[in-house]
Amino acid sequence: MINIVNLGLINYNDALDIQFALQKKRIENKIQDTLLLLEHNHVLTMGTRGKTQNIYLSPQQLKDMGVDTVYVNRGGDVTYHGPGQIVGYP
């Protein structure tokens, strides 16, 4: 059995906080497996292999467009997430 939770449109950092909280509860066997379905506000995530030269806009241009940049401890380079893109986090 898997618990599916639709978080709707949510800020990236808020969703990340929820993931860490659920992970802790799952490790403690307090909840069942859970799949989060959601959309993020406009955000670029910079993974552990992220290179700023792969972002073609300046920080000010991104800010003016309402795009946040978040540095994460996950693999990968630069990834865009935004409204209309459904993301699933097991």
Side-chain angles (χ1 to χ4, degrees):
M1 198 84 179
I2 188 167
N3 183 34
I4 299 174
V5 178
N6 182 350
L7 296 177
L9 182 63
I10 186 170
N11 176 282
Y12 186 87
N13 285 319
D14 293 340
L16 194 58
D17 289 344
I18 291 169
Q19 290 175 68
F20 285 131
L22 291 175
Q23 177 190 36
K24 182 178 185 297
K25 288 180 181 183
R26 184 63 186 111
I27 289 170
E28 295 169 349
N29 207 29
K30 293 181 178 178
I31 62 170
Q32 63 188 18
D33 291 340
T34 302
L35 174 65
L36 300 178
L37 297 176
L38 53 99
E39 300 173 52
H40 290 299
N41 296 312
H42 298 286
V43 64
L44 293 178
T45 58
M46 294 288 292
T48 56
R49 294 185 304 269
K51 295 176 178 59
T52 55
Q53 65 262 32
N54 292 336
I55 299 175
Y56 300 110
L57 299 174
S58 72
Q60 187 60 51
Q61 288 172 311
L62 291 170
K63 183 178 178 180
D64 291 346
M65 295 171 64
V67 179
D68 291 328
T69 302
V70 177
Y71 291 82
V72 295
N73 65 350
R74 297 178 177 169
D77 192 5
V78 179
T79 304
Y80 169 79
H81 296 292
Q85 176 193 36
I86 297 175
V87 180
Y89 294 115

